[in-house]
Amino acid sequence: MMDRYTKLQLVGIYAALAVFLTFILLPFFEMFMASLRPLEHLFRSPYQFWSDDFSLQAYKDMWVTVPLLGRYIFNSIFIATSVTVITMVFVVPAAYAYARLDFPFKNISLGIFLGVNMFTGAVLLIPLYRVLRTMGLLNTYWAMIVPGVAFLIPTGIWLLRSYLEKIPRELEEAAFVDGASRMYTLRRVVLPLAVPGLIVVSVAVFIGAYAQQFLFAITFNQTRELQPLPAGLFEFIGYQSVTWNEMMAAALVGVLPVMLIFLFLQKYLVAGLTAGAVKE
């Protein structure tokens, strides 16, 4: 017989699973189904879950409807990758310092980082626009990379700091006894042990950079060739009609890089997320 606590756990698990299936997985599945239907059959009533007219035509036509679609997908990957690399360059030493060193205003600055995470980019769009205009970065890749880095550094520091704190200090102290410097210890001792955590943080930053491109692109960039995919999807909206099936197909193709990242890094993600969960 299950006790009351176990039953509550099962209810919570099933409720979370139902929410995930309803609001996350089902929309993706409906996007896929819509991409397979002809445009004239998308809104017919009554709704038919299965149809005999499914085809991959939308996946062929979308490249004709939006000739720069391939460029938009490349821009999204390039911007997200650039944001991830630059962010991690700042996050790694900063997170290590917060995990191992004592310095003035340490807790206050951590609190500020946490407070920054509570704001979205929309709150600071106008000030950011003025700053980027003054720096001459509007209508360039940097107009979408720099704000992304600024907003994701606090998140990366918080995540990686928590992971680095789980690494035993004795390993670093042994290196110090042998005459190793702080930077050498970080590079040769800490980072090799922190690979799963680094991958988790990098993936989180990449997804965050991929998700926030639309807002920064439509505000800070008017150059068509530099637009990322979320902004480029607007070109499927015509003056008199919207090619919804092609838009859904393009959106699914754009999500594919993130899905591939999860697929290939799944082992490291699980190791990083569960690290420190069991205390020896």
Side-chain angles (χ1 to χ4, degrees):
M1 295 292 294
M2 294 186 297
D3 56 21
R4 184 176 180 181
Y5 181 72
T6 303
K7 291 181 179 178
L8 289 176
Q9 283 184 317
L10 290 176
V11 171
I13 292 174
Y14 289 134
L17 182 60
V19 171
F20 172 78
L21 292 175
T22 303
F23 297 102
I24 302 297
L25 193 59
L26 184 60
F28 272 100
F29 182 75
E30 180 59 28
M31 285 175 60
F32 176 68
M33 299 296 286
S35 69
L36 298 178
R37 293 191 178 98
L39 182 61
E40 61 272 13
H41 294 170
L42 282 180
F43 302 103
R44 62 183 176 184
S45 183
Y47 176 82
Q48 293 183 353
F49 176 77
W50 187 261
S51 177
D52 295 331
D53 55 6
F54 286 154
S55 71
L56 298 176
Q57 190 61 38
Y59 289 89
K60 301 177 182 178
D61 295 340
M62 64 181 185
W63 306 101
V64 178
T65 304
V66 181
L68 290 178
L69 181 60
R71 179 63 183 267
Y72 296 153
I73 295 175
F74 167 80
N75 290 340
S76 288
I77 297 174
F78 175 76
I79 294 171
T81 302
S82 300
V83 170
T84 302
V85 172
I86 297 174
T87 299
M88 294 305 295
V89 168
F90 288 101
V91 163
V92 170
Y96 179 74
Y98 278 107
R100 289 292 189 260
L101 305 179
D102 291 323
F103 52 88
F105 308 109
K106 174 181 176 180
N107 294 330
I108 295 177
S109 58
L110 272 177
I112 293 175
F113 284 147
L114 181 61
V116 170
N117 286 331
M118 299 179 182
F119 296 93
T120 64
V123 178
L124 299 175
L125 279 182
I126 296 178
L128 279 174
Y129 183 89
R130 294 172 63 93
V131 171
L132 293 173
R133 184 182 62 180
T134 302
M135 298 175 64
L137 298 179
L138 293 179
N139 301 318
T140 66
Y141 281 124
W142 290 109
M144 294 165 280
I145 293 175
V146 172
V149 171
F151 277 98
L152 290 171
I153 282 179
T155 301
I157 291 177
W158 268 95
L159 293 176
L160 189 58
R161 167 183 168 270
S162 300
Y163 187 90
L164 294 179
E165 288 180 339
K166 302 296 189 300
I167 298 177
R169 291 177 179 266
E170 291 78 9
L171 298 175
E172 298 170 66
E173 293 172 354
F176 294 150
V177 170
D178 293 335
S181 64
R182 177 74 68 175
M183 186 59 65
Y184 182 88
T185 303
L186 171 63
R187 189 173 65 254
R188 296 293 186 178
V189 178
V190 177
L191 291 185
L193 297 174
V195 169
L198 292 172
I199 293 177
V200 170
V201 176
S202 298
V203 171
V205 171
F206 183 89
I207 294 175
Y210 210 85
Q212 67 184 9
Q213 291 176 356
F214 174 77
L215 189 63
F216 295 148
I218 63 174
T219 307
F220 306 139
N221 175 57
Q222 300 299 321
T223 303
R224 185 186 178 194
E225 289 75 13
L226 301 182
Q227 293 285 22
L229 180 63
L233 291 177
F234 268 103
E235 295 192 16
F236 288 101
I237 302 176
Y239 289 105
Q240 298 181 349
S241 65
V242 181
T243 53
W244 292 106
N245 54 344
E246 296 178 20
M247 181 186 291
M248 296 300 101
L252 287 173
V253 171
V255 174
L256 190 60
V258 179
M259 297 176 63
L260 291 177
I261 288 176
F262 271 104
L263 180 64
F264 288 113
L265 300 179
Q266 181 180 7
K267 178 178 68 175
Y268 297 100
L269 289 172
V270 173
L273 291 172
T274 58
V278 179
K279 185 176 182 181
E280 298 181 357

